[in-house]
Amino acid sequence: MKKLGITLLAAIVGGVIAVGAFKLFENKQMDNMTLEERQNVYYANNPTGGITASTGNPDFTEAAAAVSPGVVHIQVTMSGRNSRGSGGGSPFDLFEEFFGVPQQRRGPSRPATASGSGVIISPDGYIVTNNHVVEEADKIEVMLTDKRKFEAKVIGRDANFDLALLKVTANDLPIVKFGNSDAVQIGEWVLAVGYPLGLQSTVTAGIISAKGRRIGILDEPQRGRGMAQEEQMISNAVESFLQTDAVINRGNSGGALVNARGELIGINSAIASPTGTYAGYGFAIPINLAKKIVEDFKEFGSVKRGYVGVTFTEISEALREEVGIDDINGLYVRDVVKGGAAEAAGIKSGDVLTKIEGKVIYGSPDLQEHVARLRPGDKINLTYKRDGKEKTVSVTLKGEEKKSAAEDAPSTASAKEIFNRLGASFVPAGDAKKRELGVKSGVVISQVHRGGIFEYFGVERGLVVTEINGQPVNNADEVEKALGKTQRDIVRVTGVPEKGSTVQFNVPLNY
């Protein structure tokens, strides 16, 4: 009997050790997974029971119950300043235009607050929202439906896609399951989930009204910042919105658009309205595009975007008369970038792009959304027409150095707040890079946001930061932790440029 007891105890202890080791291995593996792979692991361990689409009388209770816990309320604090280099205009303009509710306006010495929504996409705290929700933020707080509150840091953001990826320090959070926006059909039932008009979690229903909409709203912030006229015509903004009549209002921005199965198909981003409130037309960024962008943020801190290397005009009756073509659909190539991907593939000015991967190009969203999901070095098959004859060529996308628009501001703050206000994204320096520079630690500044403290003081992208406030740093979390050591509102930075010797400099938070 005694031997049996010892054997049983040994079995229990062995089982506990095995489970613990497996959990440790699982957590280690999670660090190297993409966000989509993390979701697959989550749902393998937490089956949903198979929510099915409604038929007959619509019933969205299961979908609403599954999604609502994973949609968060985002509250941002902004100092009452005018954006430098914005050419005038209030820092609240974008929040009002894109319905991220400003809750108070005070004098320039007091902070203002605004709010929006966000979607948890990974149980360890990654949250996707709109860029315009957080781009003015000094401090970002995230509140769940169970009233838990976390302070968030910005992992990456980009105005051309109006997307941002946040991170909170938490585990086992409820998430919203990725869907397939390519499979969405016009007339399909959808739900919009968010925090409109300062209300708590709200679910509304409607249908998909249209796909591939371009409404020009992402160009507006660039015009407001003094964008030249010729640059407006060649905007890098990507719009291919899902249009819905589900009720969304100010504050819904960054929230979830889901199908009747509770799957995330879009990030609610804008409304078209003469009054600024709901008028029947809402727009969401397709999740198949958003997934690629936030994955880039997580891996690189910025968007790795491939370019075809052409400027084009959508075909219209006026264009047909102007250039003498008969085509109804397609994109007319105005110019080809010298040394770009299109030139290498033989495409010339005056050609008409008619198909991408065998699918007809009806307008610019058909090309832009597809290309925006890819990275430099990826290949696409483009069909173009010249002299009445079509030809299909393989185009290898090329990269282009870009900076995203952003504004952050100084004030004495927490580590997360300082991290956000520096206006930079960080990615770990690889072992080869460390050996090349002769350093033992380091993060690479992958992006410097316009208006941030780093940009103001001329800190350049590519700098390998080895220490902050005397603390070695190897990833974004360690950067944040080191910023907590900031004294007298001065951040001490040690780094190595791509070519050069070690540099040390102080960055004042109040300037």
Side-chain angles (χ1 to χ4, degrees), residues 70-72 74 117-121 126-129 176 254-256 264 266-267:
V71 179
V72 300
I74 295 176
S117 305
V119 184
I120 306 174
I121 56 174
Y126 285 98
I127 298 169
V128 62
T129 186
V176 181
L264 184 65
I267 302 299

Side-chain angles (χ1 to χ4, degrees), residues 38 51 66 76 99 109 166 183-184 198 207 230 238 244 272 287 311 324 344 369 411 456 468 485 487 493 495 499:
R38 292 175 188 218
I51 299 173
V76 303
F99 58 91
S109 61
L166 310 181
V184 171
I207 63 169
E230 61 270 19
V238 175
T244 179
I287 194 60
T311 59
E369 184 189 346
S411 75
Y456 184 81
I468 290 180
K485 306 287 186 181
Q487 296 179 350
V493 180
K499 294 182 179 180

Side-chain angles (χ1 to χ4, degrees), residues 15 52 76 103 211 250 253 313 316 456 460 494 499:
T52 57
V76 303
Q103 298 173 334
K211 299 172 64 176
R250 296 180 177 180
S253 199
T313 304
S316 63
Y456 184 81
E460 296 183 351
T494 303
K499 294 182 179 180

Side-chain angles (χ1 to χ4, degrees), residues 47-326:
T48 62
I51 299 173
T52 57
S54 301
T55 58
N57 293 325
D59 181 355
F60 304 122
T61 54
E62 287 187 69
V67 172
S68 294
V71 179
V72 300
H73 191 194
I74 295 176
Q75 296 174 310
V76 303
T77 303
M78 305 168 289
S79 64
R81 70 195 184 282
N82 286 325
S83 301
R84 292 182 302 275
S86 65
S90 166
F92 301 97
D93 291 344
L94 291 182
F95 284 90
E96 292 184 331
E97 182 176 353
F98 290 172
F99 58 91
V101 188
Q103 298 173 334
Q104 57 182 340
R105 294 192 184 190
R106 300 179 177 176
S109 61
R110 294 186 178 184
T113 61
S115 69
S117 305
V119 184
I120 306 174
I121 56 174
S122 178
D124 56 346
Y126 285 98
I127 298 169
V128 62
T129 186
N130 288 136
N131 173 69
H132 70 259
V133 170
V134 298
E135 70 171 339
E136 296 283 348
D138 296 324
K139 182 179 180 180
I140 304 169
E141 288 188 323
V142 169
M143 181 179 289
L144 278 64
T145 54
D146 61 9
K147 306 302 181 184
R148 281 185 292 170
K149 184 178 286 189
F150 302 93
E151 193 170 340
K153 64 173 177 281
V154 177
I155 299 301
R157 54 190 171 88
D158 194 296
N160 286 320
F161 297 91
D162 194 25
L163 286 168
L165 182 66
L166 310 181
K167 179 71 167 64
V168 299
T169 303
N171 289 297
D172 300 321
L173 295 179
I175 70 174
V176 181
K177 186 178 183 179
F178 285 144
N180 179 7
S181 54
D182 289 346
V184 171
Q185 299 296 314
I186 295 174
E188 180 178 344
W189 280 107
V190 290
L191 303 179
V193 187
Y195 293 77
L197 303 175
L199 299 173
Q200 294 304 304
S201 179
T202 300
V203 180
T204 58
I207 63 169
I208 293 293
S209 306
K211 299 172 64 176
R213 284 288 198 230
R214 176 173 173 80
I215 58 177
I217 199 168
L218 297 187
D219 295 335
E220 293 301 320
Q222 299 181 64
R223 294 190 186 108
R225 295 187 176 98
M227 191 180 194
Q229 182 63 34
E230 61 270 19
E231 291 177 308
Q232 293 175 31
M233 296 173 63
I234 315 173
S235 171
N236 284 315
V238 175
E239 294 184 8
S240 184
F241 292 118
L242 298 173
Q243 182 180 319
T244 179
D245 64 354
V247 179
I248 55 178
N249 271 298
R250 296 180 177 180
N252 274 114
S253 199
L257 187 71
V258 301
N259 60 23
R261 294 181 295 277
E263 297 169 336
L264 184 65
I265 59 170
I267 302 299
N268 296 322
S269 300
I271 56 175
S273 168
T275 64
T277 54
Y278 175 73
Y281 307 99
F283 303 92
I285 300 167
I287 194 60
N288 286 10
L289 172 60
K291 280 193 297 187
K292 186 268 179 185
I293 303 306
V294 298
E295 200 63 64
D296 278 1
F297 289 151
K298 176 178 170 289
E299 187 173 351
F300 306 110
S302 61
V303 179
K304 296 299 181 183
R305 187 172 174 182
Y307 289 86
V308 174
V310 296
T311 59
F312 54 78
T313 304
E314 292 189 355
I315 292 178
S316 63
E317 183 61 36
L319 179 68
R320 286 195 291 270
E321 293 180 3
E322 174 193 342
V323 299
I325 59 176
D326 299 325

Side-chain angles (χ1 to χ4, degrees), residues 12-23:
I12 292 172
V13 171
V16 170
I17 293 173
V19 170
F22 174 76
K23 201 68 180 175

